[in-house]
Amino acid sequence: MERETGWIDTHAHLADEAFSDRLEDVLLRAMAEGVTRILCVGVDTVASASSVLFANQYDGVRVPSVWASVGIHPNYAHQEKPGDWESIVAWTNHSHDGGSRVCALGETGLDRYWDDCPFEVQEKNFARHWELSRSTGLPVIIHSRDCDTEMLEALRKEYKNGELRGVMHSFSSTLEVALECVAMGLYISFSGMLTYKKNEVLREVAAKIPEDRLLVETDCPYLSPEPKRSTRPNEPSLMVHTGEVLGKVRGWTVAETAERTTANALRLFSKMR
Ligand SMILES: [Zn+2]
């Protein structure tokens, strides 16, 4: 297999209004920094529809190729309207006919930080993404905030049905949590938080994840990495800074870091080409 050196931003909210007047420029800058693919992540049906649209529009000729993830975020699960879930399922069905660029589900998961959505609603929403993952083979992009215990319980329950395909996105928890997730089949993705001065502990975690399970992401428009932390909005071109820090903690060159995280992303999001 041919080796690839470009970066993949595995988590970008390109449908966010922060990008509405500048998406082309953002994509061109990403290309200039060596980002070859971007996974555009949905949080509800509106953002998921935009992700599918962008993925079909930006196929990697002048700009990075955009790929879509569709799903419902735990903080929006209570706002669901009739037919919304059916739309999510329909986009994933479409991915079987070769025409669609939907390569993941989510982001979804559990969140105890914001209390907008009742927790039982979040749990049901999370569980049906796993059911859809098993029927479609698509990996799940997992959001987990302030709920390690509940998240591990939910994942262990799903793991009874077989190895999990997915990623703990913008990871910010402990090594113990990370390694249990890895043991259940999951990947661990690091965002700009990895670069923050105070996050020495997170860098120690990143140093100890099996190398074939590491991913990088921006989670833009949020979490701008150092030394661009004051830049708003964050964007895919800035992911290189997170990649450099990951390389440093692993003892890898920048090129090796790009090559390894890209190979990992293509293995997990296997519909990406
Ligand atoms: Zn996100």
Side-chain angles (χ1 to χ4, degrees), residues 110 142-152 155-156 168-181 187-191 193-194 198-209 217:
L110 301 172
I142 302 160
H143 166 106
S144 178
R145 189 156 186 197
D146 288 0
C147 60
D148 281 347
T149 308
E150 296 92 331
M151 175 54 71
L152 285 175
L155 293 174
R156 286 176 197 135
M168 300 299 286
H169 112 83
S170 197
F171 190 78
S172 63
S173 186
T174 64
L175 181 63
E176 197 186 0
V177 169
L179 292 180
E180 181 167 353
C181 291
Y187 288 62
I188 308 291
S189 180
F190 292 97
S191 67
M193 281 197 282
L194 190 72
K198 66 170 171 54
N199 282 352
E200 194 48 50
V201 173
L202 191 60
R203 285 185 286 278
E204 284 166 19
V205 173
K208 292 180 181 132
I209 307 294
E217 62 172 277

Side-chain angles (χ1 to χ4, degrees), residues 87-264:
S87 297
I88 300 289
V89 173
W91 282 312
T92 65
N93 283 335
H94 190 57
S95 74
H96 284 305
D97 63 23
S100 162
R101 296 160 68 90
V102 173
C103 66
L105 303 175
E107 64 181 282
T108 187
L110 301 172
D111 191 321
R112 282 270 194 215
Y113 181 80
W114 302 103
D115 57 3
D116 304 337
C117 178
F119 203 70
E120 325 75 79
V121 175
Q122 297 185 33
E123 288 175 313
K124 274 192 192 144
N125 178 55
F126 190 35
R128 67 185 174 173
H129 284 78
W130 282 111
E131 200 180 310
L132 188 57
S133 172
R134 288 191 292 274
S135 66
T136 59
L138 292 171
V140 178
I141 297 176
I142 302 160
H143 166 106
S144 178
R145 189 156 186 197
D146 288 0
C147 60
D148 281 347
T149 308
E150 296 92 331
M151 175 54 71
L152 285 175
E153 258 168 40
L155 293 174
R156 286 176 197 135
K157 202 168 133 199
E158 297 300 335
Y159 183 58
K160 288 187 182 139
N161 296 308
E163 179 129 305
L164 304 179
R165 286 199 71 194
V167 53
M168 300 299 286
H169 112 83
S170 197
F171 190 78
S172 63
S173 186
T174 64
L175 181 63
E176 197 186 0
V177 169
L179 292 180
E180 181 167 353
C181 291
V182 165
M184 289 189 276
L186 299 174
Y187 288 62
I188 308 291
S189 180
F190 292 97
S191 67
M193 281 197 282
L194 190 72
T195 68
Y196 299 168
K197 223 171 238 157
K198 66 170 171 54
N199 282 352
E200 194 48 50
V201 173
L202 191 60
R203 285 185 286 278
E204 284 166 19
V205 173
K208 292 180 181 132
I209 307 294
E211 74 172 62
D212 61 349
R213 298 297 181 87
L214 282 168
L215 300 179
V216 278
E217 62 172 277
T218 54
D219 201 13
C220 64
Y222 318 106
L223 303 175
S224 302
E226 292 288 2
K228 303 280 182 186
R229 194 164 174 182
S230 57
T231 302
R232 297 281 189 282
N234 186 17
E235 59 173 60
S237 67
L238 300 179
M239 204 196 63
V240 177
H241 300 292
T242 303
E244 280 173 8
V245 170
L246 180 65
K248 236 173 242 165
V249 305
R250 302 293 305 204
W252 299 341
T253 65
V254 171
E256 286 168 342
T257 311
E259 190 184 300
R260 283 167 191 170
T261 55
T262 290
N264 292 345

